[in-house]
Amino acid sequence: MKISTMLIGVASLALCAGGALAGSHLANTADKRIALSNNYAGNSWRQAMLQSWEEMGAAAVADGVVAAADAYTTSESQATEQAAQIQNLILQGYDAIVINAASPTALNGAVKEACDAGVVVVSFDGIVTEPCAWRIAVDFKAMGKSEVEYLATRLPDGGNLLEIRGLAGVFVDDEISAGIHEGVAENDQFEIVGSVHGDWAQDVAQKAVAGILPSLPEIVGVVTQGGDGYGAAQAFKAAGRPTPLIVLGNRQDEMQWWADQRDANGYETLSLSIAPGVSTLAFWVAQQVLAGDEVPKDLTVPFLKITQDTLDETLASTPEGSVANVTYSLEDAQQVIAGAK
């Protein structure tokens, strides 16, 4: 799959023109309105996700691709609040609703209401299980498992691991954690001796890790979910404990910390996460459904991996306080759809 690697803040999305438009049904959606329903915005990944949507949406509206591409975020990550938001978007007459869901199941009633009202529903990142909706997902379980597989290559003798989870009760958190535990089951030289929720936020993770560290034995590795690696490193430093091998999550601050540690003492690790720009892929999928394309209900995108070899290039292209990102174009979406067919 060809992926456009425009990073947040670098440039606005360049939309296709001329003959490319003729084959993509874009003219058929010029009067359509698409809304984003987002359940949470309390970390850098969610902020970058919203910025990706807003930049791409503004360009799409300006070019006459759609009539509106509005974003709405609930005040708290509560499924009941997001369900009410979705019901309100139905009443406002949106033709499609793109959802980053607080729960895979708790929103199904509101999603079914939308479908019954003729609204196209596309879920991504936090997906929903209602059959009438489309789903765009990373294999989060595989992502979690790959963390342990990486640690096994670096720490063949194994040892004690600390797990930092994400936002409790969210599909993404459950899936990544399940993958991590599956990886440990297959690499039994490792043992998870502590687990905390970091909410995908550095400050929350730092506080949570600092709280559990006094009760833990020596830790050789930290498995994470993104937005928590730098906070974990700071907690270990403050406790005067050796820095373990921490799998990172593509945030600019932790990549900068990684580069600094590499330069100082040769520190080496791996960083991976879903790209925040997956929201732009969800937009184009919704647009293509509205345009009449036959789009499979389940689509998969790869997670974004950063290695020692690609760290400097990625860090240089990632704005301070943001996240390494990928913005998807119409052609990227069409390729993902074609691949699923």
Side-chain angles (χ1 to χ4, degrees):
M1 180 181 67
K2 175 179 176 290
I3 295 178
S4 303
T5 54
M6 291 172 55
L7 300 178
I8 292 296
V10 175
S12 62
L13 178 63
L15 294 173
C16 307
L21 293 181
S24 62
H25 313 293
L26 288 183
N28 297 341
T29 62
D31 62 344
K32 302 299 185 182
R33 299 167 64 234
I34 302 176
L36 169 64
S37 170
N38 175 48
N39 70 304
Y40 176 73
N43 59 39
S44 58
W45 191 96
R46 291 295 179 115
Q47 292 296 324
M49 182 269 289
L50 289 168
Q51 187 174 353
S52 290
W53 174 278
E54 290 165 0
E55 291 181 353
M56 178 277 312
V61 171
D63 281 21
V65 177
V66 292
D70 304 314
Y72 300 88
T73 298
T74 60
S75 58
E76 296 183 20
S77 182
Q78 297 292 331
T80 52
E81 185 181 0
Q82 191 171 20
Q85 179 191 74
I86 292 168
Q87 291 166 336
N88 187 45
L89 295 175
I90 298 170
L91 293 174
Q92 291 183 50
Y94 282 97
D95 300 286
I97 302 173
V98 174
I99 302 174
N100 195 335
S103 165
T105 57
L107 298 179
N108 283 349
V111 170
K112 185 64 164 57
E113 287 181 40
C115 294
D116 289 346
V119 179
V120 170
V121 178
V122 178
S123 62
F124 73 98
D125 186 38
I127 59 173
V128 296
T129 57
E130 166 54 47
C132 72
W134 280 261
R135 285 160 292 278
I136 301 172
V138 160
D139 189 340
F140 289 109
K141 191 173 182 180
M143 192 172 86
K145 186 176 180 180
S146 71
E147 295 188 38
V148 182
E149 291 171 342
Y150 171 74
L151 292 180
T153 67
R154 295 289 315 284
L155 304 167
D157 294 333
N160 298 320
L161 304 181
L162 169 63
E163 178 187 16
I164 306 179
R165 298 189 58 165
L167 202 62
V170 176
F171 163 82
V172 175
D173 168 62
D174 291 337
E175 287 294 293
I176 296 175
S177 182
I180 287 170
H181 283 261
E182 183 176 301
V184 170
E186 295 180 7
N187 295 273
D188 59 6
Q189 69 270 37
F190 294 110
E191 180 182 0
I192 296 176
V193 295
S195 180
V196 296
H197 280 277
D199 293 0
W200 304 314
Q202 305 287 10
D203 55 343
V204 177
Q206 182 173 350
K207 184 177 180 179
V209 173
I212 197 175
L213 270 182
S215 66
L216 297 181
E218 179 187 3
I219 300 296
V220 300
V222 180
V223 283
T224 67
Q225 294 198 6
D228 40 26
Y230 180 72
Q234 295 309 299
F236 274 88
K237 180 180 179 180
R241 297 183 59 151
T243 302
L245 202 166
I246 305 172
V247 179
L248 304 177
N250 296 4
R251 275 61 172 177
Q252 182 272 335
D253 53 3
E254 59 187 8
M255 288 193 293
Q256 185 60 62
W257 172 84
W258 176 10
D260 293 341
Q261 298 303 306
R262 176 203 60 193
D263 295 344
N265 54 47
Y267 191 84
E268 182 176 349
T269 189
L270 172 73
S271 183
L272 42 83
S273 179
I274 181 173
V278 68
S279 61
T280 62
L281 177 62
F283 168 87
W284 287 116
V285 168
Q287 183 275 329
Q288 289 289 278
V289 175
L290 289 172
D293 193 6
E294 293 293 330
V295 179
K297 291 288 187 173
D298 291 285
L299 303 170
T300 303
V301 291
F303 47 85
L304 182 59
K305 181 183 295 186
I306 301 166
T307 66
Q308 204 85 351
D309 292 337
T310 60
L311 171 60
D312 287 336
E313 178 185 0
T314 308
L315 182 58
S317 302
T318 305
E320 184 174 353
S322 191
V323 186
N325 199 13
V326 173
T327 297
Y328 292 85
S329 69
L330 170 61
E331 288 91 343
D332 294 328
Q334 290 173 328
Q335 289 186 29
V336 170
I337 292 167
K341 290 178 178 179

